[in-house]
Amino acid sequence: MKPLPKLVLVDDSLYAAQAKIYPREIEGRFARLRTIAVFALLGVFYLFPWLRWDGRQAVLFDLPARKFYIFGLTFWPQDFFWLAWLLIIAGVSLFFVTALAGRLWCGYACPQTVWTEVFLWIERACEGRRNQRIKLDAAPWNTEKLLRKGAKQLLWIGFAAWTGFTFVGFFTPITDLARETVHFTLSGWETFWIVFYGFATYGNAGFLREQVCKYMCPYARFQSAMFDKDTLIVSYDVARGELRGARKRNADPKALGLGDCVDCDACVQVCPTGIDIRDGLQIECIACASCIDACDAVMDKMGYARGLVGYTTENLRAGKPLRLLRLRTLLYGGLLAFLLGTFVWGVAHRAPLIVEVLRDRNALYRRSADGAIENSYTVKLVNKTQAAQRVRLTVVDDPRVTIADRSDVALPPGEVTSVPLTLRAVSPDFSGMVRIKLAARDDASGVAATQTAQFFVPEKP
Amino acid sequence: MNRIVPAPVDRETNDRLALAGAIAWPSFFAAGVATMVFFALIDPDELFNAAWPHILLPREFAYTLGFFVFWTATLGASSFTALLLRRPKDAQP
């Protein structure tokens, strides 16, 4: 028998001491899937800011102008509710997927995983495979080590800087940003956020890696609340694998009293969080399925069936049937459908025009030369459509109050327009305050909105 | 079989790093959410116009400043929690 795995366990400290992890490179079905996910997700991230839509950047969270563009949709500060709704949808989707398929998010889609993967590719290109990397780290500094480490750092920093640049490109037009970068005329805050986000990428994906998942990620801690016995997990088939032990390829394991696990440690070496899946489901497992790929390759070599380590559920392992429809998934699914439906309906039915009427603070009322009573206001008109509007302002259903100074207001597309407005009552037959309703309407497009306002006249003695 | 085993990292560094991460990351996240909600409701231009009309500050700077003010607050709260949760024996050398 070989000695037990050499994981260093440390008394009752909050965090166990941990050897630096050198994940071994792996090929296989799930590794390919992750590569596809990396290209798809990072493709979206790095390419989207460069796409154009209607003569502007397709996806732009224009903070200086306080407007968000997502392809054909424009979000105003008044629509923040819907963006918050969208975040809730994202959260519930995560719950739903977790209940069904476990930590699919961690293994394939989390930015931490995706960027770490790219940083690992760079590391492999510069420093070689796992054993070469360990040897290189242990070796004294020489020219080769300096060159390899230097090249890796240079690529890492370059990639991180490009990431920071792209990130800021979501918030400020990226073509301007590119021009400013080339001419060294980036503003202070742009430079700051490029460096900040680049540094965060470098630190998290290059340096911290699995420690983010183990010590910093809240999702890793509470995801188990979404788990049940029908949740997809990565697991080792103990009944089939034990007793584990090395053997010759053509040896009969039964005769040796061994299970199918050849104890090659491949599953441990490929693990990006440095755990042994054979110890059971652990909170560190991000379900990346690298150990499945590693074990499958070994099983193929040995001529054994695949799946000693595999995706399964607790119930499947116990020989029970798979249940996809259960209270948990139905609840999450129903909630998700409701949230999505409300979002689509709500966003489609957003008000295209907003009117706000602000009273001028100087005086309650003014008496004009002809004896009429006048109140003055500032009207703010928000044209949320992408077309110019020409609205007519009217007082609705109250012939006693009329508009003194204007009727039509031109509203450029997607802009806020403020105009002064004077309302008058020629011979008021009321006293004190009256509420009136102001309407703005473009007869050509039918875009309309109303708002109430107060109109003051002198109290009758 | 001769296995290549990486050298362990010294424990104290590892502990300190993990603690710093556990303080920094949630506070960063909370500050991000607070910044989003705050500035969705309040336009920094209008805020500065009303409060300090003599200061001219571009919105981008106001957002950045706002984020770090929030982060300072949440980082402070997280750090205090970490301090208060420290077991007596952890404090000993």
Side-chain angles (χ1 to χ4, degrees):
Chain A
M1 282 286 284
K2 289 190 315 91
L4 283 167
K6 61 279 131 206
L7 203 110
V8 197
L9 280 179
V10 174
D11 50 296
D12 55 353
S13 152
L14 193 51
Y15 309 105
Q18 178 72 69
K20 183 178 173 188
I21 292 166
Y22 298 81
R24 206 181 78 184
E25 42 293 324
I26 181 72
E27 284 161 15
R29 289 178 289 167
F30 300 110
R32 265 196 301 281
L33 215 58
R34 188 167 28 265
T35 307
I36 292 170
V38 167
F39 273 96
L41 293 169
L42 290 189
V44 164
F45 178 77
Y46 291 103
L47 290 181
F48 266 28
W50 297 100
L51 298 181
R52 310 291 296 174
W53 185 280
D54 267 358
R56 57 162 170 81
Q57 190 168 321
V59 179
L60 177 65
F61 305 107
D62 195 343
L63 289 179
R66 293 178 69 75
K67 265 185 267 179
F68 290 180
Y69 302 101
I70 302 170
F71 295 100
L73 293 174
T74 307
F75 288 91
W76 295 69
Q78 294 90 336
D79 301 325
F80 177 76
F81 176 78
W82 291 115
L83 289 180
W85 201 259
L86 202 59
L87 289 180
I88 296 173
I89 291 178
V92 175
S93 309
L94 185 61
F95 289 6
F96 180 61
V97 171
T98 306
L100 267 184
R103 296 175 71 171
L104 216 54
W105 162 261
C106 298
Y108 301 92
C110 178
Q112 179 63 30
T113 305
V114 167
W115 267 309
T116 299
E117 190 78 12
V118 177
F119 273 67
L120 274 174
W121 291 345
I122 295 175
E123 188 167 80
R124 261 167 221 160
C126 296
E127 298 182 359
R129 302 170 77 84
R130 178 173 190 268
N131 288 353
Q132 293 169 302
R133 292 204 301 277
I134 297 175
K135 273 186 198 148
L136 188 72
D137 276 0
W141 281 96
N142 56 21
T143 320
E144 192 201 341
K145 185 167 175 174
L146 200 68
L147 280 177
R148 286 187 179 278
K149 293 257 170 198
K152 177 182 85 173
Q153 292 297 337
L154 215 62
L155 284 172
W156 273 7
I157 290 168
F159 185 69
W162 183 34
T163 307
F165 169 82
T166 308
F167 175 74
V168 175
F170 276 98
F171 298 97
T172 193
I174 200 162
T175 42
D176 295 353
L177 201 64
R179 198 174 312 120
E180 288 169 18
T181 310
V182 174
H183 294 123
F184 293 103
T185 53
L186 285 172
S187 76
W189 80 269
E190 286 164 345
T191 316
F192 171 79
W193 282 110
I194 291 176
V195 171
F196 186 90
Y197 199 82
F199 177 75
T201 309
Y202 173 88
N204 283 327
F207 179 61
L208 290 172
R209 294 191 187 164
E210 80 287 344
Q211 315 212 38
V212 174
C213 312
K214 284 156 88 168
Y215 305 130
M216 290 157 76
C217 178
Y219 171 69
R221 301 293 168 101
F222 67 69
Q223 43 83 23
S224 55
M226 273 85 76
F227 269 52
D228 56 30
K229 289 185 170 179
D230 288 301
T231 299
L232 196 67
I233 51 170
V234 176
S235 122
Y236 164 67
D237 192 339
V238 180
R240 189 186 142 193
E242 300 299 313
L243 293 169
R244 64 184 80 157
R247 79 286 309 263
K248 293 223 159 58
R249 193 187 295 192
N250 44 15
D252 177 16
K254 283 209 186 72
L256 293 166
L258 291 173
D260 278 357
C261 176
V262 300
D263 205 9
C264 61
D265 252 11
C267 55
V268 178
Q269 289 179 8
V270 296
C271 181
T273 67
I275 59 168
D276 186 341
I277 192 67
R278 295 170 299 177
D279 296 342
L281 187 60
Q282 291 148 80
I283 198 158
E284 290 90 349
C285 173
I286 58 168
C288 68
S290 295
C291 50
I292 303 182
D293 283 336
C295 189
D296 279 353
V298 173
M299 291 296 109
D300 288 354
K301 231 179 260 170
M302 297 297 294
Y304 300 167
R306 286 182 170 193
L308 179 59
V309 179
Y311 271 121
T312 184
T313 72
E314 213 175 305
N315 274 342
L316 278 179
R317 270 273 186 263
K320 294 181 193 154
L322 177 69
R323 287 186 312 141
L324 284 179
L325 296 178
R326 41 192 210 272
L327 187 62
R328 189 184 290 270
T329 53
L330 289 176
L331 271 180
Y332 288 144
L335 185 61
L336 189 59
F338 166 76
L339 289 170
L340 270 174
T342 324
F343 179 79
V344 172
W345 186 89
V347 168
H349 288 78
R350 283 177 304 167
L353 179 68
I354 292 178
V355 185
E356 280 177 52
V357 185
L358 309 169
R359 283 191 59 84
D360 285 354
R361 289 180 208 166
N362 309 346
L364 278 182
Y365 58 84
R366 189 171 62 232
R367 201 179 290 278
S368 70
D370 58 2
I373 304 297
E374 292 184 347
N375 284 197
S376 41
Y377 306 83
T378 302
V379 179
K380 267 174 98 173
L381 294 146
V382 186
N383 176 10
K384 291 162 81 171
T385 68
Q386 296 306 314
Q389 308 284 350
R390 187 166 194 88
V391 296
R392 206 178 61 241
L393 298 173
T394 50
V395 177
V396 184
D397 295 339
D398 196 336
R400 299 170 299 181
V401 181
T402 53
I403 294 175
D405 52 353
R406 69 175 59 251
S407 58
D408 285 13
V409 186
L411 307 179
E415 298 260 340
V416 182
T417 311
S418 287
V419 291
L421 179 79
T422 306
L423 296 180
R424 62 191 264 138
V426 178
S427 50
D429 55 353
F430 52 92
S431 76
M433 188 269 281
V434 64
R435 274 184 199 284
I436 53 121
K437 204 183 218 177
L438 193 72
R441 182 181 170 80
D442 184 326
D443 287 328
S445 67
V447 167
T450 57
Q451 186 58 267
T452 54
Q454 297 172 328
F455 187 85
F456 287 94
V457 296
E459 296 276 356
K460 290 266 164 62
Chain B
M1 197 169 125
N2 216 350
R3 288 226 174 85
I4 298 172
V5 179
V9 177
D10 116 80
R11 172 189 162 187
E12 210 165 294
T13 316
N14 196 62
D15 273 13
R16 234 180 262 142
L17 196 73
L19 188 64
I23 292 170
W25 174 239
S27 61
F28 172 85
F29 189 77
V33 172
T35 310
M36 261 165 46
V37 173
F38 184 80
F39 287 114
L41 300 176
I42 290 161
D43 181 349
D45 275 8
E46 284 177 18
L47 177 68
F48 276 84
N49 240 333
W52 308 281
H54 56 281
I55 300 179
L56 262 177
L57 205 60
R59 279 191 181 128
E60 298 91 314
F61 273 114
Y63 294 137
T64 308
L65 186 71
F67 171 73
F68 280 101
V69 168
F70 276 122
W71 199 8
T72 310
T74 53
L75 196 65
S78 286
S79 307
F80 273 120
T81 307
L83 188 74
L84 293 173
L85 283 181
R86 211 153 65 140
R87 287 165 299 173
K89 79 177 178 73
D90 292 350
Q92 287 162 12

